[in-house]
Amino acid sequence: MPSSPDETRVQTLPDPHDDDDDRWELEDGSGLALGEIRTRPLNARDREALVSARSGASGIIGFLGAIALIVAIVFGLVGMYRLDVRVVAAIVVSVVGVLAAVALMMSRQDARLRRDLDAGIQLIVSGRIGDMDSEEGDGPGFVRVLSDETPPRELRFFVEKRLYLRLKPKDSVRIAYVPLSNTLLRLRTDSFSYSLRRKSD
């Protein structure tokens, strides 16, 4: 019988890359007060992870462009012999339009990541996990964090499967993120730590 989502989370093993990171220590050695937001400069490892995320976005944009070109060529050739030119044109425009919209969203995210790298600042805040939403049910998906500020602020992150599986609503967390692209760099609960890695790690 398949395991329930909760059982799956319990069975998920810690990732050795997540627990070797001491970058949570604040420069003055103090803890994070309830509702407090701290800023810290990005270090070399943070920058490498964000640059890797940018490379991934650029690769997707290039891939979508290639697909759009192939679709246009294939339908153009087929249409010359089998379909009405207006039908072919409508199909090509629709497909290319959808791919262009996705590429535009990716290019905007890439620009936000670039601005985060230029700014060189991360924010550190404590809070609790709110709603979790995944089409697959077990990640990847969107996670909302409600900050400990008064009133609480809602932060929404798209997280990979290895993190999604280990979270549950109402978990107390401490997070570090870059604000323009809303990219989660690190997250810590009472039981585990997570850090964004380079694609090659």
Side-chain angles (χ1 to χ4, degrees):
M1 187 171 67
S3 301
S4 69
D6 288 340
E7 289 173 337
T8 303
R9 289 192 176 92
V10 170
Q11 294 166 0
T12 304
L13 296 176
D15 191 313
H17 288 84
D18 294 337
D19 296 319
D20 61 357
D21 189 4
D22 61 359
R23 288 172 291 161
W24 285 107
E25 297 304 322
L26 301 178
E27 292 175 355
D28 60 4
S30 63
L32 195 68
L34 189 66
E36 181 183 10
I37 300 176
R38 294 275 184 113
T39 62
R40 286 197 67 183
L42 296 173
N43 63 22
R45 187 170 172 183
D46 297 327
R47 288 182 175 278
E48 288 175 359
L50 291 174
V51 167
S52 178
R54 276 201 69 199
S55 300
S58 299
I60 292 173
I61 293 169
F63 175 75
L64 291 174
I67 292 296
L69 179 61
I70 291 170
V71 167
I73 292 173
V74 169
F75 274 101
L77 292 174
V78 172
M80 289 174 59
Y81 301 100
R82 298 185 180 181
L83 298 175
D84 183 273
V85 173
R86 288 171 296 182
V87 174
V88 173
I91 294 173
V92 170
V93 168
S94 299
V95 173
V96 172
V98 171
L99 293 175
V102 175
L104 178 61
M105 287 190 297
M106 295 301 299
S107 114
R108 287 177 175 172
Q109 178 66 4
D110 179 72
R112 294 186 191 105
L113 284 167
R114 185 179 66 249
R115 291 199 298 270
D116 275 324
L117 283 164
D118 291 341
I121 295 296
Q122 61 181 299
L123 303 181
I124 299 174
V125 63
S126 63
R128 291 183 179 275
I129 299 297
D131 295 336
M132 299 175 62
D133 181 25
S134 169
E135 290 185 2
E136 300 296 328
D138 59 356
F142 288 97
V143 171
R144 290 177 176 83
V145 176
L146 301 176
S147 73
D148 287 332
E149 302 165 81
T150 304
R153 186 161 49 103
E154 183 180 284
L155 304 166
R156 188 169 182 256
F157 302 99
F158 185 79
V159 303
E160 57 187 313
K161 183 172 184 174
R162 70 186 177 99
L163 175 58
Y164 192 95
L165 284 171
R166 301 182 70 182
L167 293 172
K168 56 183 180 294
K170 299 185 179 180
D171 277 349
S172 294
V173 295
R174 183 178 177 186
I175 60 172
Y177 69 101
V178 283
L180 300 177
S181 64
N182 221 37
T183 300
L184 188 65
L185 293 173
R186 288 182 297 287
L187 179 147
R188 173 174 285 182
T189 70
D190 292 336
S191 58
F192 74 93
S193 294
Y194 159 89
S195 62
L196 180 67
R197 301 202 304 257
R198 294 174 301 177
K199 300 296 183 185
S200 58
D201 287 346

